[in-house]
Amino acid sequence: MNDVDSILLLMVGLLAIAFLIVWGLGIFVAVRLARRQQRAVARWALAAVLAGPVLLGAGYLAYSLRRGVLRYLAAQLLAILAVAAAAVFVLPAFMGRSLLIDLAVVLGSVAAALLPTIALGLLGPASRRRPAQPADRPLVEAVKVHKSYALGRRSLHVLRGVSLSVKAGEFVAVLGASGSGKSTLLHVLGLLDSPDRGKVIIEGIDSAALAPAERDRIRCRTIGFVFQLYHLQPELTVLENTMLPAMAATGPLGWARRSNEALARAVELLERLGLGDRLGHRPKELSGGEQQRVAIARALMNRPRILLADEPTGNLDSRSGGQILQLLKELNRDSGQTIIMVTHDESLARAADRIVHLRDGRLK
């Protein structure tokens, strides 16, 4: 068992614990209600024992596939009630004639009761269609963004009305000294943080109007991050680190179905970045330049439209830094990858199509 499988097993275990807790609460509530209504406690408890896993399973599956949770929970509940009614009023007339008929009735009832959940599994994740974007509309846009942080009794204003628009396929460098707000701007653009005032618009949609789950989805699928300090998981191999975004995008239920596709994508990226012979290595066995290439492969894993690079060469020697910069230029030139890179080095910024200067929290 590799480390990714161990993490998946841990996730499933935590989900199982949460499921058992909620299931137990459901049984407890059913028993309390039965006692209050002077009903058969054992019958109500048995109903909760049988229906609880099915309803929780349908709810979690709908949530993980980004489909209407309440709608599918209602459909699943109706299916259970319909089968229960049939079991009381209709099915007894057909049972008792032969073992095969009884078995067919039981299996058919189970299948009917699980029909909404089965349909969910067959449908797979919901596809969220974005409205068609005009060719001249920015892919990502910041509009008069302000951001400050509390430092004890005083407030540190980092961004002061920053406005920036980047079109698809552009390579933009944000140039500024240390402490000018470059990383904060990148975090706000990447939905890692929220502005105090102003707007961040991605693919024509105001991020402030997005539900938390939708923000997570965009951050996972639409945006790729490359950090100065790599932020690789030391206990995972190069291949496993690269596959993590795909695992986060599919969830535990979808991973078993899509792991082979993710594996092929990760291997393809790493070979393209010259790391085909490092797949089984741990981060500590790699040079700084190699670790940053793994970080770039990880950022590209889910085919993001926007790549955000925070001082991607700041922790590297000049030779390794030059290789990383050349790699970013090739991604932009050959694949049309939209890149926003922040740096304090003017010579690196000149590699971009456009340079904007950030000073004292304002773009110049």
Side-chain angles (χ1 to χ4, degrees), residues 242-270:
T242 305
M243 293 170 65
L244 279 178
M247 186 177 178
T250 55
L253 292 178
W255 182 247
R257 186 171 68 252
R258 301 185 181 183
S259 58
N260 289 336
E261 178 185 342
L263 177 63
R265 167 72 175 165
V267 170
E268 174 193 353
L269 282 171
L270 291 168

Side-chain angles (χ1 to χ4, degrees), residues 6-21:
S6 301
I7 293 173
L8 178 59
L9 185 61
L10 176 61
M11 291 172 64
V12 172
L14 292 174
L15 285 172
I17 292 172
F19 165 78
L20 289 173
I21 292 172

Side-chain angles (χ1 to χ4, degrees), residues 190-239:
L191 306 186
L192 289 173
D193 208 343
S194 299
D196 299 333
R197 284 183 287 152
K199 295 181 179 180
V200 174
I201 301 171
I202 295 178
E203 295 184 313
I205 297 178
D206 185 353
S207 62
L210 297 171
E214 188 69 4
R215 286 173 63 92
D216 294 344
R217 191 194 70 82
I218 291 175
R219 196 164 51 236
C220 182
R221 295 176 178 271
T222 304
I223 303 170
F225 296 90
V226 180
F227 301 99
Q228 179 180 348
L229 297 178
Y230 326 132
H231 293 311
L232 302 177
Q233 299 302 309
E235 70 275 10
L236 301 183
T237 65
V238 165
L239 183 60

